[in-house]
């Protein structure tokens, strides 16, 4: 069986671990969000790709959900001692090695998809991890604060400002000119089913869907999504701030309508959201809290079973 899954960072990676456990023999291709990517200290950092790679490869900091296990921060402290900015983004010593290799390979002319494949040679995540695009796109957020109305990198709004300043607009800079990475459309075309994990619907899944050609390719497939919103709240994190920015309510119903029946064939919601409905979409309610590997595996198994029951 061939499965394609889209993924952001923590929510996506956790779900994918469950999906691997639920379908150990499946060929899983993951299309990862690169809108969060940022250049820091001259190094290209791809937080969502790395979160998926470390989580599935056994190198993640489990408590935090991002970054490396057994991490130290000597380089970060030394940079700070020189007064180097930014100091609000946490890069650990082990993590730095990944970004050094990536930057070196990109500078040598390798596309991000090949760099990611090379990094995965070490981590063996058990899925084929593809960036959504080899072209550089970045999510920027328009805010108004003491410095006036301006656009900041998504990471500055999310990590430095903790989304405390309302986002007036969220844009994927470079999207129109970006192409899906090699292998992406092929993998979608070959897929038996497509699963959307409970990743951020705006800055993770929404970003991937903005790469020209990806949404159209998905619309021809059987797609089942898992709601990232439970009872009106984004379980962990601040996805509500992103939804508000694009004028969408923080509810499983509103996210279902955002994706729409053109994209989704099935939608898994939490039991407290069982009234959710949309013409043309099969909605199923079940526990959706990924609070243990076992619970996560069962969520993924339910998403897969729904998808297989809907696929022609
Ligand atoms: P990020 O890139 O690290 O923000 O991660 P993702 O975009 O992949 O996922 C973040 C989203 O996962 C959050 O917006 C939450 O709504 C969702 N999420 C986190 N934990 C859970 C959970 O246990 N259950 C469900 N259904 N959603 C979750
Ligand atoms: Ca992310």
């Amino acid at each position: 069986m061939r499965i394609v899954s889209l993924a952001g960072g923590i929510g996506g990676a956790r779900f994918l671990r469950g999906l691997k456990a639920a379908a150990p023999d499946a060929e899983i291709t993951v299309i990862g969000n690169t809108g969060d990517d940022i250049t820091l200290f001259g190094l290209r950092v791809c937080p969502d790709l790395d979160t998926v790679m470390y989580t599935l490869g056994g190198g993640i900091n489990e408590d935090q959900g991002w970054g490396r296990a057994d991490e130290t921060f000597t380089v970060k402290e030394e940079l700070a001692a020189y007064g180097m900015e930014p100091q609000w983004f946490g890069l650990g010593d082990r993590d730095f090695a990944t970004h050094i290799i990536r930057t070196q390979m990109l500078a040598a002319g390798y596309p991000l998809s090949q760099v990611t494949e090379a990094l995965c040679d070490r981590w063996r995540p058990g899925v084929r991890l593809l960036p959504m695009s080899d072209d550089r796109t970045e999510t920027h957020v328009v805010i108004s604060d003491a410095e006036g109305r301006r656009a900041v990198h998504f990471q500055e709004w999310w990590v430095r400002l903790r989304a405390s300043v309302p986002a007036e607009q969220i844009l994927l800079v470079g999207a129109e000119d970006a192409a899906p990475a090699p292998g992406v459309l092929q993998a979608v075309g070959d897929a038996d089913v497509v699963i959307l994990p409970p990743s951020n619907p705006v800055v993770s899944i929404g970003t991937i869907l903005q790469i020209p050609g990806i949404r159209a390719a998905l619309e021809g497939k059987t797609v089942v999504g898992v709601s990232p919103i439970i009872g009106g709240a984004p379980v962990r994190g601040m996805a509500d701030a992103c939804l508000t920015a694009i004028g969408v309510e923080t509810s499983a119903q509103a996210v279902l309508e955002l994706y729409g029946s053109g994209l989704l064939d099935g939608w898994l919601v939490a039991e407290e959201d069982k009234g959710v409905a949309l013409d043309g979409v099969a909605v199923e309610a079940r526990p959706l809290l990924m609070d243990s590997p076992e619970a996560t595996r069962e969520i993924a198994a339910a998403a897969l079973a729904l998808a297989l029951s809907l696929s022609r």
Side-chain angles (χ1 to χ4, degrees):
M1 178 172 38
R2 296 196 177 109
I3 305 172
V4 162
S5 182
L6 276 46
I10 302 177
R14 289 223 165 110
F15 177 84
L16 286 168
R17 198 151 56 179
L19 186 62
K20 267 175 64 181
D25 301 326
E27 228 176 82
I28 303 174
T29 300
V30 177
I31 303 171
N33 171 41
T34 57
D36 287 20
D37 295 5
I38 186 167
T39 300
L40 297 166
F41 315 113
L43 300 176
R44 194 66 180 158
V45 179
C46 301
D48 284 357
L49 292 180
D50 288 349
T51 296
V52 170
M53 182 174 77
Y54 293 155
T55 301
L56 299 184
I60 200 77
N61 177 326
E62 291 287 348
D63 300 327
Q64 216 168 238
W66 55 271
R68 291 289 311 280
D70 304 319
E71 191 55 289
T72 52
F73 291 89
T74 306
V75 175
K76 184 175 194 283
E77 286 159 22
E78 289 293 313
L79 288 167
Y82 283 106
M84 274 287 273
E85 295 290 344
Q87 295 179 16
W88 44 262
F89 200 88
L91 290 179
D93 300 328
R94 292 181 190 278
D95 201 19
F96 261 112
T98 304
H99 312 315
I100 290 169
I101 294 168
R102 174 184 294 121
T103 305
Q104 197 171 35
M105 285 188 73
L106 289 171
Y110 290 96
L112 182 62
S113 51
Q114 284 184 34
V115 175
T116 305
E117 194 180 341
L119 294 170
C120 285
D121 263 350
R122 171 184 175 193
W123 290 103
R124 312 241 157 229
V127 300
R128 180 161 180 234
L129 177 60
L130 301 175
M132 63 190 193
S133 177
D134 277 339
D135 300 314
R136 186 161 156 169
T137 58
E138 278 185 6
T139 302
H140 287 205
V141 178
V142 178
I143 58 169
S144 294
D145 62 4
E147 290 171 50
R149 186 168 192 269
R150 65 208 169 96
V152 297
H153 191 286
F154 170 73
Q155 298 294 354
E156 183 168 359
W157 179 64
W158 195 250
V159 179
R160 182 170 83 85
L161 299 171
R162 308 290 308 156
S164 59
V165 183
E168 294 169 19
Q169 222 183 324
I170 299 181
L171 313 151
L172 183 63
V173 179
E176 317 80 68
D177 302 320
V184 165
L185 296 182
Q186 178 84 44
V188 173
D190 291 346
D192 296 303
V193 290
V194 176
I195 310 279
L196 307 188
S199 282
N200 188 307
V202 184
V203 295
S204 294
I205 304 289
T207 306
I208 300 169
L209 295 176
Q210 277 180 63
I211 300 300
I214 293 189
R215 191 186 179 105
L218 293 173
E219 283 176 353
K221 309 301 292 190
T222 302
V223 181
V224 166
V226 180
S227 176
I229 307 299
I230 298 182
V235 200
R236 295 180 193 88
M238 312 167 286
D240 49 329
C242 300
L243 286 166
T244 303
I246 62 162
V248 173
E249 190 190 296
T250 300
S251 70
Q253 178 70 42
V255 176
L256 166 60
E257 288 169 15
L258 172 68
Y259 288 151
S261 59
L263 177 67
L264 287 179
D265 299 286
W267 187 231
L268 277 194
V269 298
E271 284 164 318
E272 42 272 69
D273 297 310
K274 62 168 166 283
V276 164
L278 185 68
D279 270 356
V281 181
V283 178
E284 213 174 275
R286 67 169 332 280
L288 282 193
L289 214 47
M290 300 188 287
D291 52 2
S292 73
E294 181 59 15
T296 308
R297 185 184 64 76
E298 284 175 11
I299 295 168
L304 189 55
L306 180 58
L308 290 173
S309 78
L310 297 170
S311 76
R312 290 143 280 136

